[in-house]
Amino acid sequence: MTFLTKRIFQPRSIFSLLKNGNCLSLQLKKISMKLENEIVLAIQEAIEKLYGTKLEPNKIPIQQTRKDQNGDYTLVVFGFSGLSKKKPEETAQELGVFLKENVDFIADFEVIKGFLNLIVEDKIYINVLKENQNRKNFGFLEVNPHDKVVVEYSSPNTNKPLHLGHIRNNLLGFSLAEILKANGKNVTKVNLVNDRGIHICKSMLAWQKWGNQITPESAQLKGDKLVGDFYVLFDKKYKEQIAALVADGLEKEQAEKEAPLIQEAQEMLRKWEENDVEIKTLWQRMNTWVYKGFDITYQNMGVDFDKIYYESETYLLGKELVVEGLKNGILFQKENGSIWCDLTDEGLDEKLLLRADGTSVYMTQDLGTAQLRHEEFDAQKMIYVVGNEQNYHFDVLKLVLKKLGKPWFNSIEHLSYGMVELPQGKMKSREGTVVDADELMEEMYITAKTTTQELGKAEDFAQEDLEKLYQTISLGALKYFILKVDPKKQMMFNPAESIDFNGNTGPFIQYTYARIKSILRKAGEVEQMNFWPESLNEKEKNVLKQIQNFPSILKQAGELYSPALISNYVFELVKLYNKFYQEIPILKETDQVKRQFRILLSSFVAENIKNSMSLLGIHVPERM
RNA sequence: GGUCCAGUAGCUCAGUUGGAUAGAGCAACAGCCUUCUAAGCUGUAGGUCCUAGGUUCGAACCCUAGCUGGAUCACCA
């Protein structure tokens, strides 16, 4: 008994301080994890006292009680029958009695079959507010400058505009960076632009042949769209040539290699690598068009980068690494001069690193980029946000770096996300079955506008504010729609069904925020609380129970690289708050302590919604 | 063919380390605005958790086999 008391009420426990009411000096960032830990410790002591065995904390199966049951935390006692030599129900009963009597924050308990449901004192939840009422970023950690992480995302090709697949990539990358920052990481966001290669030459060649010197200005078209059109045009003409050759009796494979267009494109690539002035000038000119277009898309999407790498600048470094690896006998050369890495001892194949003609492949430049990035940042982690179609590529990248003797190879991590599918299947640029990023955002904007107008909201807004509101809502809907899905999973987008604004959506969450802000405006200044309520009603308690989970959700999201966890969290919070809002008076409450408490609670929820949404790259409106 | 990922309500998705009667949203149906913003709230209905075995007090979750879908195994990126 004394031991137990000592253990639970030793000074480092937050609960010991509850009694005295002077807990100001405490680090509160871990408060939510604390509660669970304290309960585990209490149970640990109880079992030791009752059954004479000390269990490791991870052997104590505790979880939050299901919503349909009475209680806050549930201990599953089936596993303890061996210790107690009693039926689960009796064991649960014994433990329950013991905990209620000896632990001051356990108010009560209930036993159902082998489940011990523990009811925590309301004070504990009230305390979450009490302790944090002045904190701006509840749950966020201070950034540690030495804990460096580089996040690469977006990584576009410069031969076509961005589409829905890129949107998922960009939103994931941006959100991941925000989540890691909130977990105390010193994050650098980088973009690797794939600005060289045969695909670029295809667009260039088509422009040369059929472009009539057209420019984005003369065409009144975004540069990336213009260049993308020529990429599609190339493909169309190329296919015609193949068809003609096949009609003349050639095998299809043969025709694909011999078609004059593809040979011209390859010739152009060779010239590019030889620094042919004319080709390089055209290349630069067209890429500039594309970048201007990308900038607009990025800006509309609300994503940005701290640094941009260009493949045309990093591939040579990769080449050097490969040549050096060959010299050191780590890599090997085939008769035709191509250079390879043997990964058969790792269970993989041989991997080509330099072509017979000495030109580099995708892997070559990624070796160079990784090396450069490591030298520049020396980060604990270098995370690549890239689709799961490239899983093999990143396995190989790490292994080749390992073989080349780079001890930092293990800092490379791949956030591998699933493809976005349309009802008719995968998106294909060349077949025109892509959902264009700019067009989708524009459509969302129009939907946001018409919906807002139909609802008759915001009629007194200034024009400027209206446009900002439509932007906020439409992007909120789009971003939330994408980010609420587990990144690893493939997801479905049906363009025929516009993205919803009701239910589990961005606007629903934004709306809840706006309603709270409305209340807060009417309430005036949120005052410091000097008196606190003794107890909570069910709705208040549910909101606080959810919000005290936030720090551990944030941590988990940072470990699993999953914005979806934040989305699910904030949706659940908002639902619980809306139930509270619907049923419990706030401004109309006549008891001043309760009224103030509810205003403060609302304010805290609003702040947490805003913070959570910012982790997803989503803004929240003050009114809507 | 080898490897990897996935399969949960009509649709889109949650489901933590194996725990209670598997959850949300949309769509459908029935209610709630003279009230702090109805982009909200309440209720009804909706399930062979792909299939078959196995592990155990207990499996959507772990193991084995199979079925279905996707990705990948390029001198493409």
Side-chain angles (χ1 to χ4, degrees):
Chain A
M1 186 58 183
T2 44
F3 183 42
L4 176 78
T5 311
K6 206 172 158 189
R7 186 62 187 255
I8 291 174
F9 297 123
Q10 64 186 269
R12 64 173 181 78
S13 160
I14 54 171
F15 306 110
S16 64
L17 298 160
L18 286 177
K19 289 177 128 184
N20 314 328
N22 55 351
C23 37
L24 300 171
S25 62
L26 207 73
Q27 284 292 316
L28 292 161
K29 57 195 179 190
K30 289 176 182 164
I31 191 161
S32 76
M33 281 164 265
K34 276 278 187 183
L35 177 53
E36 197 167 313
N37 288 348
E38 292 297 327
I39 292 172
V40 168
L41 283 180
I43 292 167
Q44 187 185 37
E45 297 295 341
I47 287 169
E48 184 170 13
K49 188 75 188 163
L50 288 171
Y51 308 125
T53 304
K54 185 161 184 177
L55 291 177
E56 292 300 313
N58 61 11
K59 291 272 155 55
I60 295 171
I62 190 168
Q63 57 199 256
Q64 293 200 338
T65 304
R66 291 164 48 119
K67 271 187 271 181
D68 55 342
Q69 298 287 332
N70 199 14
D72 298 318
Y73 285 87
T74 295
L75 176 70
V76 183
V77 301
F78 292 103
F80 300 154
S81 291
L83 292 177
S84 65
K85 310 226 164 42
K86 288 174 184 160
K87 287 180 195 162
E89 265 175 290
E90 291 172 33
T91 312
Q93 185 68 27
E94 271 182 0
L95 285 168
V97 169
F98 191 93
L99 290 168
K100 185 180 175 183
E101 278 178 12
N102 294 299
V103 183
D104 81 336
F105 60 86
I106 302 289
D108 210 343
F109 71 96
E110 233 173 64
V111 173
I112 296 170
K113 291 190 262 181
F115 299 93
L116 172 60
N117 295 331
L118 299 168
I119 296 158
V120 172
E121 287 281 357
D122 284 355
K123 274 186 207 161
I124 297 296
Y125 294 110
I126 293 171
N127 219 38
V128 175
L129 255 193
K130 202 168 174 179
E131 309 277 356
N132 293 286
Q133 56 177 324
N134 294 321
R135 275 182 71 92
K136 265 289 173 208
N137 294 308
F138 172 63
F140 283 39
L141 301 187
E142 286 293 316
V143 170
N144 173 0
H146 303 294
D147 197 355
K148 289 187 223 165
V149 177
V150 179
V151 177
E152 177 193 300
Y153 69 102
S154 205
S155 321
N157 293 351
T158 56
N159 63 326
K160 55 189 182 230
L162 304 178
H163 58 65
L164 182 53
H166 297 107
I167 291 184
R168 190 176 196 191
N169 182 304
N170 281 283
L171 300 183
L172 279 172
F174 184 87
S175 176
L176 175 65
E178 293 302 311
I179 288 168
L180 293 175
K181 284 182 203 170
N183 274 286
K185 310 291 181 191
N186 178 1
V187 179
T188 306
K189 293 179 281 188
V190 304
N191 191 358
L192 172 66
V193 179
N194 179 5
D195 61 346
R196 60 171 282 280
I198 189 76
H199 48 293
I200 317 290
C201 291
K202 288 178 181 174
S203 296
M204 286 161 62
L205 190 63
W207 184 86
Q208 265 189 342
K209 283 186 175 304
W210 305 293
N212 294 319
Q213 299 297 317
I214 195 170
T215 66
E217 290 76 27
S218 69
Q220 296 280 303
L221 200 62
K222 272 180 84 216
D224 52 331
K225 296 284 195 301
L226 183 70
V227 171
D229 287 347
F230 282 106
Y231 183 69
V232 172
L233 182 62
F234 175 95
D235 195 63
K236 188 181 157 214
K237 299 277 188 184
Y238 175 40
K239 280 197 172 125
E240 284 170 11
Q241 287 191 349
I242 293 170
L245 288 172
V246 170
D248 286 348
L250 239 59
E251 289 296 321
K252 194 177 175 221
E253 211 170 296
Q254 192 78 2
E256 282 171 357
K257 280 183 188 159
E258 289 187 9
L261 268 177
I262 194 71
Q263 293 195 343
E264 277 184 79
Q266 281 161 351
E267 177 58 23
M268 190 182 257
L269 181 62
R270 274 191 290 276
K271 280 187 178 169
W272 184 93
E273 296 215 4
E274 285 164 10
N275 276 316
D276 180 287
V277 175
E278 193 193 335
I279 299 298
K280 279 270 178 154
T281 306
L282 175 62
W283 170 74
Q284 224 139 29
R285 189 174 177 211
M286 289 181 74
N287 269 350
T288 304
W289 295 346
V290 172
Y291 296 147
K292 263 190 166 167
F294 282 175
D295 281 346
I296 292 169
T297 308
Y298 284 143
Q299 203 182 339
N300 285 339
M301 216 184 293
V303 302
D304 55 18
F305 307 95
D306 302 309
K307 181 173 174 94
I308 297 181
Y309 292 91
Y310 297 92
E311 202 194 311
S312 57
E313 294 168 2
T314 62
Y315 80 104
L316 289 172
L317 183 57
K319 264 185 174 176
E320 286 172 24
L321 285 175
V322 172
V323 171
E324 191 189 313
L326 180 66
K327 211 179 289 174
N328 297 340
I330 297 164
L331 308 176
F332 71 96
Q333 195 158 28
K334 291 195 177 174
E335 279 178 17
N336 66 4
S338 55
I339 302 177
W340 298 71
C341 184
D342 183 2
L343 297 170
T344 49
D345 56 337
E346 302 274 2
L348 301 178
D349 276 330
E350 294 173 348
K351 181 70 189 177
L352 176 85
L353 299 179
L354 271 185
R355 295 190 185 105
D357 64 2
T359 60
S360 61
V361 291
Y362 181 52
M363 184 61 72
T364 323
Q365 68 77 26
D366 241 346
L367 292 170
T369 310
Q371 174 72 38
L372 185 61
R373 212 170 278 178
H374 168 71
E375 286 166 5
E376 284 180 349
F377 295 102
D378 191 22
Q380 262 82 58
K381 285 198 165 75
M382 300 199 285
I383 303 170
Y384 292 70
V385 181
V386 179
N388 62 12
E389 57 199 350
Q390 294 191 29
N391 286 352
Y392 183 74
H393 173 78
F394 282 96
D395 289 346
V396 171
L397 175 64
K398 289 182 77 165
L399 288 174
V400 173
L401 286 169
K402 185 182 173 189
K403 286 224 183 266
L404 290 174
K406 308 294 179 186
W408 45 268
F409 77 95
N410 235 350
S411 67
I412 289 181
E413 294 195 21
H414 177 199
L415 168 48
S416 161
Y417 63 88
M419 297 290 103
V420 181
E421 291 224 354
L422 303 177
Q424 62 270 35
K426 208 186 161 184
M427 287 186 279
K428 288 181 183 135
S429 294
R430 280 178 252 173
E431 292 174 23
T433 57
V434 294
V435 175
D436 180 79
D438 296 319
E439 284 172 21
L440 180 58
M441 286 192 283
E442 178 64 20
E443 279 169 29
M444 295 296 298
Y445 183 90
I446 292 165
T447 311
K449 186 174 176 177
T450 52
T451 307
T452 305
Q453 285 170 346
E454 276 167 20
L455 290 169
K457 309 255 178 166
E459 278 165 352
D460 58 334
F461 274 49
Q463 187 58 32
E464 196 184 326
D465 295 336
L466 270 182
E467 281 165 19
K468 199 176 155 201
L469 179 66
Y470 300 151
Q471 182 86 351
T472 300
I473 295 173
S474 58
L475 273 182
L478 177 60
K479 291 183 177 186
Y480 189 87
F481 177 81
I482 302 272
L483 290 176
K484 76 176 175 184
V485 181
D486 182 347
K488 288 177 303 194
K489 290 196 178 177
Q490 144 185 135
M491 67 177 288
M492 173 66 71
F493 176 79
N494 188 347
E497 302 166 6
S498 56
I499 293 174
D500 248 299
F501 283 22
N502 298 323
N504 188 0
T505 67
F508 167 66
I509 295 162
Q510 292 170 323
Y511 176 67
T512 304
Y513 177 83
R515 282 209 303 198
I516 298 176
K517 293 306 267 192
S518 171
I519 284 190
L520 295 177
R521 276 191 299 273
K522 285 174 183 158
E525 196 78 355
V526 178
E527 291 166 37
Q528 284 282 325
M529 295 278 292
N530 297 316
F531 300 97
W532 295 81
E534 286 299 305
S535 62
L536 297 169
N537 66 51
E538 188 201 352
K539 308 289 178 193
E540 292 168 333
K541 184 171 172 179
N542 286 339
V543 170
L544 281 168
K545 271 168 83 166
Q546 173 69 358
I547 216 163
Q548 63 107 29
N549 285 330
F550 179 70
S552 71
I553 299 277
L554 175 58
K555 182 166 176 257
Q556 210 182 349
E559 285 164 356
L560 300 177
Y561 303 161
S562 177
L565 296 178
I566 303 290
S567 310
N568 292 340
Y569 162 82
V570 72
F571 175 57
E572 194 61 34
L573 174 68
V574 160
K575 271 197 297 184
L576 292 169
Y577 182 83
N578 280 338
K579 286 176 197 201
F580 162 76
Y581 176 95
Q582 195 78 19
E583 287 184 31
I584 312 293
I586 301 168
L587 295 176
K588 278 178 277 180
E589 173 59 53
T590 49
D591 179 322
Q592 283 308 304
V593 172
K594 283 185 182 169
R595 185 175 184 272
Q596 274 307 104
F597 179 78
R598 287 172 192 164
I599 290 169
L600 182 63
L601 175 63
S602 299
S603 161
F604 197 66
V605 169
E607 196 65 28
N608 188 246
I609 291 173
K610 190 180 186 176
N611 290 340
S612 299
M613 293 294 261
S614 81
L615 296 174
L616 305 175
I618 300 174
H619 298 294
V620 286
E622 298 299 304
R623 290 179 58 198
M624 72 183 273

